[in-house]
């Protein structure tokens, strides 16, 4: 994912649509041209244009840390596992 200067996120899927010229690529390209990137010219390499457009608008890499977290109780027996409290302490 890329963070655009206006605070919006440019997702990897949108970038892939531009690279492969899939349905919806015009919308993704319009996002970048609205921020000052040059227009994608017919016959040019979309992957090269995307790289240059992201640099031109000043997009930054944004790491997605994932949506799920799992917690497992540790212990050799069921009784040991049940004695372990999960969660944050009450304030």
């Amino acid at each position: 994912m890329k963070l655009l200067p206006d605070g919006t996120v440019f997702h990897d899927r949108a970038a892939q649509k531009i690279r492969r010229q899939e349905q919806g690529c015009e919308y993704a390209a319009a996002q970048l041209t609205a921020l000052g990137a040059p227009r994608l010219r017919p016959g040019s390499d979309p992957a090269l244009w995307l790289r240059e457009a992201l640099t031109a608008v000043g997009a930054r890499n944004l790491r997605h840390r994932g949506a799920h977290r799992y917690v497992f109780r540790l212990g050799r027996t069921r009784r040991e596992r049940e004695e372990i409290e999960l969660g944050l302490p009450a304030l």
Side-chain angles (χ1 to χ4, degrees):
M1 287 192 297
K2 302 284 185 187
L3 181 63
L4 299 176
D6 64 353
T8 59
V9 174
F10 192 75
H11 292 278
D12 295 333
R13 180 64 181 124
Q16 189 64 19
K17 285 184 177 201
I18 291 175
R19 283 188 209 100
R20 292 188 179 179
Q21 292 294 288
E22 296 175 355
Q23 182 176 354
C25 68
E26 296 86 9
Y27 175 78
Q31 271 186 296
L32 297 175
T33 54
L35 292 172
R39 293 194 178 277
L40 175 61
R41 295 182 182 169
S44 63
D45 181 20
L48 179 62
W49 175 85
L50 177 63
R51 200 170 333 136
E52 293 172 354
L54 289 171
T55 302
V57 300
R60 297 182 310 155
N61 286 331
L62 182 66
R63 184 168 179 248
H64 187 271
R65 299 183 61 86
H68 302 288
R69 305 248 190 238
Y70 297 94
V71 176
F72 296 98
R73 297 176 195 245
L74 300 177
R76 292 181 303 245
T77 64
R78 182 177 182 176
R79 172 174 257 158
E80 286 179 2
R81 287 189 296 272
E82 288 176 351
E83 288 176 356
I84 298 172
E85 295 184 23
L86 299 178
L88 298 174
L91 297 176

